[in-house]
Amino acid sequence: MSDGIRLRHRLEYAVIVPAYWLIRHLPYCGVRLLAAVIALVVRAVPGCRRLVQANIRCAMPELPEREVKRIAARSFHHLFLNMGEFIWIGGEPERIRRCYRIAEPLRRKLADIVERGERIIFVNPHLGNWEASGVIAPFFSGVRLAAIAKPLRNPLLNRLFNQRTREKAPGLEIIFARGAIRESLRALRTGKSLGTLIDQNTRVRDGGVFVNFFGIPVASSTAPATLKRYCDAHGIPAVIIYGTCVRRADGTVEALSSELSRPFESYADDREVVQELMEISERFIREYPDQYLWFYRRFQYIPPDCPEAVRRRYPDYAVIPGEKFFRRNKITDDTSS
């Protein structure tokens, strides 16, 4: 079919669109109830439950089994509440103000950076409501933001969720993962800040490095450090800020932030920068473990030189990657224009 749209895509779209519009028109209490029901259903699927619990045990083996199961159950609920809430908000100012908040010192800090003409390279984890990060900074602090996102395989759903949901947020542009470096540099050159996700598996050939996460080597992107070095080399003022949005006891989602412990130029290489960012991420996750996205194969790749004692900590799904994981492709993006 034209535009890469297959019959399967159309059928998926026909099933999901009614649910999408139902969520948009439900009262907020209805969204919360629907999320709780979906979480119970998915949690009942053995494979889903095993994956989440295996990741928690891998990261925090000191936890008793009862606590592992409690965190797993809560994480399912947070995941589907975040999804439903983000669709429900849909970029509408009144709904943003109802669900999202930012403390005045942080709001002012971000606004001051904007006023100085600096770009912010946001580093976000899949913690709390990560979609809220792309809304709060532009809406409350006037940050012009481009966020890197992985496109959905279904082009119809991709348009639905990005054009009708994500890009409805004031001041937000979506950059898709394919060709992201070129578009990210364009955004930085034109005065926009950039949002990146730090906790996705990135092959070495695509700019990934192995860094420790809960004491286990994981493949992570060096994009935040690479982009910062590009800005420094081209006289573009930029700062790296680790940002996350966690759900508070009253149900609202609040933005939090942290920064590198020393000047960027003092780090030996990009790996050292990413390692500290992952350590910041781990601290936040340990504080809010039930709000992390454990429903992802984060510990998928084992470095070939990993000690046997550490290798035994990986979940059953983890593998030692083949040569294609490490071999770099020829760089075709022109990053100097």
Side-chain angles (χ1 to χ4, degrees):
M1 291 187 180
S2 62
D3 300 324
I5 300 175
R6 303 174 180 176
L7 177 60
R8 175 172 58 84
H9 294 152
R10 297 185 186 279
L11 292 174
E12 290 173 348
Y13 186 78
V15 171
I16 291 176
V17 163
Y20 176 92
W21 287 110
L22 171 64
I23 292 171
R24 292 284 294 134
H25 290 89
L26 281 174
Y28 184 62
C29 61
V31 175
R32 295 181 66 90
L33 177 61
L34 180 61
V37 171
I38 296 174
L40 282 172
V41 172
V42 176
R43 202 174 102 205
V45 178
C48 298
R49 190 170 62 250
R50 282 196 299 269
L51 172 61
V52 170
Q53 292 180 6
N55 282 333
I56 298 169
R57 293 188 194 100
C58 175
M60 296 176 284
E62 73 278 5
L63 293 180
E65 189 63 16
R66 182 176 180 179
E67 182 65 5
V68 168
K69 292 179 179 178
R70 186 196 70 82
I71 292 172
R74 293 290 300 160
S75 71
F76 278 112
H77 179 257
H78 277 290
L79 170 61
F80 292 105
L81 176 56
N82 292 343
M83 293 171 60
E85 182 179 74
F86 190 69
I87 292 171
W88 182 79
I89 289 173
E92 295 187 19
E94 290 183 5
R95 294 183 176 186
I96 292 173
R97 292 190 186 96
R98 173 176 178 174
C99 296
Y100 298 161
R101 65 179 179 173
I102 183 172
E104 180 57 23
L106 179 55
R107 188 204 68 78
R108 185 69 254 170
K109 176 183 176 180
L110 298 181
D112 288 345
I113 293 173
V114 172
E115 290 175 9
R116 293 196 300 267
E118 295 182 55
R119 284 67 156 175
I120 304 171
I121 300 171
F122 283 108
V123 178
N124 300 103
H126 283 95
L127 177 68
N129 192 335
W130 53 93
E131 294 283 4
S133 300
V135 176
I136 290 178
F139 185 81
F140 292 104
S141 297
V143 178
R144 294 171 57 221
L145 183 66
I148 300 173
K150 186 176 181 180
L152 301 175
R153 294 181 181 178
N154 185 324
L156 296 173
L157 294 177
N158 198 54
R159 286 184 214 135
L160 176 69
F161 283 102
N162 285 288
Q163 294 178 6
R164 291 187 175 273
T165 306
R166 282 176 169 154
E167 291 190 335
K168 286 290 185 180
L172 178 63
E173 173 193 355
I174 297 299
I175 294 175
F176 290 118
R178 180 176 294 179
I181 290 295
R182 179 180 297 171
E183 288 302 306
S184 297
L185 298 181
R186 174 195 59 77
L188 291 167
R189 288 195 297 266
T190 57
K192 291 186 177 181
S193 293
L194 197 67
T196 65
L197 285 164
I198 193 173
D199 50 1
Q200 292 179 307
N201 295 319
T202 304
R203 295 173 295 187
V204 171
R205 74 180 197 186
D206 295 328
V209 292
F210 279 99
V211 293
N212 287 327
F213 183 52
F214 289 95
I216 303 173
V218 295
S220 299
S221 173
T222 58
T226 301
L227 293 167
K228 169 61 174 167
R229 293 190 191 282
Y230 173 87
C231 289
D232 290 350
H234 291 78
I236 300 173
V239 59
I240 293 177
I241 293 181
Y242 182 97
T244 187
C245 295
V246 300
R247 193 171 299 278
R248 296 302 196 185
D250 63 0
T252 60
V253 173
E254 181 179 10
L256 304 175
S257 73
S258 185
E259 295 185 45
L260 295 171
S261 61
R262 61 183 196 266
F264 180 80
E265 59 273 13
S266 69
Y267 291 85
D269 52 27
D270 291 354
R271 184 189 180 283
E272 191 174 359
V273 175
V274 175
Q275 179 61 69
E276 182 168 341
L277 290 169
M278 291 300 290
E279 289 167 3
I280 295 171
S281 191
E282 182 178 333
R283 289 199 298 269
F284 274 107
I285 294 168
R286 286 187 181 278
E287 188 171 356
Y288 306 97
D290 58 336
Q291 296 191 39
Y292 188 60
L293 180 66
W294 300 108
F295 197 24
Y296 175 65
R297 296 191 172 195
R298 185 64 182 102
F299 304 98
Q300 183 168 1
Y301 298 115
I302 306 172
D305 59 351
C306 183
E308 183 60 31
V310 177
R311 188 176 300 185
R312 286 196 294 267
R313 285 191 55 192
Y314 283 87
D316 291 342
Y317 63 75
V319 297
I320 297 175
E323 182 61 28
K324 289 184 178 180
F325 180 90
F326 297 95
R327 189 175 63 246
R328 291 183 180 275
N329 294 334
K330 182 179 178 181
I331 298 175
T332 56
D333 283 342
D334 180 7
T335 60
S336 61
S337 61

